[in-house]
Amino acid sequence: MRLYSLSVLYKGDAKAVLLKAAYDVSSFSFFQRSSVQEFMTFTSQLIVERSSKGSRASVKEQEYLCHVYVRNDSLAGVVIADSEYPSRVAFTLLEKVLDEFSKQVDRIDWPVGSPDTIQFAGLDGHLSRYQNPREADPMTKVQAELDETKIILHNTMESLLERGERLDDLVSKSEVLGIQSKAFYKTARKQNSCCAIM
């Protein structure tokens, strides 16, 4: 999972204006980096120009995904990532960046701004922080922890059953479980067995 570009643009009537951008082209060869960066800028502008106000979209091009969010006030953001990068995290990043940008940069400067004239330093930090969506996004982090816990529990149950012990035998041998708990387990087991397909 990798982010390559994070751009803030203004969607004008005729064309989209690049206001600020951050790039991570370190995975490309040194001699291709400037061309790749120019192509990302061109693609970002083109996608914003062809998107309507108040819309979100993801455009796939080969192994890359371009996520675009154009707000109703014509401020737009584009993230270019690989196809494995989670869309929800990309749109969360765009929303966060555009909110910060609109608070720090005066709205009058948007239509006439350029990367040289706009004073907004947050993009590079966001681009590097969101390279790992698990660390940057709390929801993704929780989901990853849940997945890991599920795998650990599954493996634990498998290893327990591999040793030749059946869960039914362990329940019947248990001194900790009360009579009601054992009865509940047996009833639940019977109910589930009629629904199980083997």
Side-chain angles (χ1 to χ4, degrees):
M1 288 184 270
R2 188 167 191 86
L3 290 176
Y4 298 104
S5 166
L6 174 59
S7 308
V8 177
L9 301 98
Y10 176 77
K11 180 179 173 60
D13 294 331
K15 66 176 199 155
V17 177
L18 180 68
L19 300 176
K20 209 69 175 174
Y23 303 96
D24 181 0
V25 291
S26 59
S27 61
F28 298 96
S29 97
F30 179 77
F31 298 106
Q32 293 177 328
R33 290 179 183 172
S34 63
S35 298
V36 168
Q37 192 169 320
E38 286 176 9
F39 186 74
M40 287 183 192
T41 302
F42 168 76
T43 303
S44 298
Q45 288 175 314
L46 185 66
I47 290 173
V48 169
E49 288 170 6
R50 296 188 178 182
S51 298
S52 58
K53 292 181 182 178
S55 68
R56 295 173 190 231
S58 295
V59 180
K60 185 169 176 61
E61 176 59 35
Q62 295 175 5
E63 71 267 13
Y64 303 105
L65 266 175
C66 303
H67 305 282
V68 61
Y69 173 36
V70 182
R71 298 188 338 178
N72 287 324
D73 61 2
S74 297
L75 192 62
V78 176
V79 165
I80 298 176
D82 63 12
S83 58
E84 294 176 2
Y85 200 86
S87 297
R88 188 188 58 72
V89 179
F91 285 115
T92 301
L93 170 61
L94 286 173
E95 197 167 327
K96 186 176 190 173
V97 165
L98 293 180
D99 284 344
E100 287 179 15
F101 188 89
S102 63
K103 289 176 185 170
Q104 292 181 25
V105 178
D106 194 18
R107 191 179 189 141
I108 297 169
D109 295 332
W110 297 355
V112 294
S114 72
D116 297 327
T117 61
I118 298 294
Q119 299 300 315
F120 182 71
L123 290 183
D124 287 318
H126 284 302
L127 187 66
S128 64
R129 189 174 327 110
Y130 275 80
Q131 286 296 339
N132 184 353
R134 285 184 179 183
E135 296 301 317
D137 183 55
M139 185 88 82
T140 305
K141 187 174 184 177
V142 168
Q143 183 63 48
E145 288 173 359
L146 283 173
D147 291 343
E148 288 172 11
T149 304
K150 189 171 89 175
I151 290 168
I152 290 169
L153 284 174
H154 183 71
N155 289 342
T156 303
M157 291 301 290
E158 279 185 355
S159 66
L160 181 72
L161 295 174
E162 284 175 2
R163 289 194 302 238
E165 298 175 317
R166 295 200 45 207
L167 193 55
D168 294 338
D169 296 337
L170 291 176
V171 168
S172 64
K173 291 178 185 176
S174 173
E175 296 173 9
V176 179
L177 292 177
I179 295 170
Q180 286 182 326
S181 297
K182 289 180 183 179
F184 171 77
Y185 173 77
K186 288 178 182 177
T187 306
R189 183 89 168 163
K190 288 177 186 175
Q191 291 293 327
N192 288 339
S193 67
C194 71
C195 299
I197 298 173
M198 298 198 188

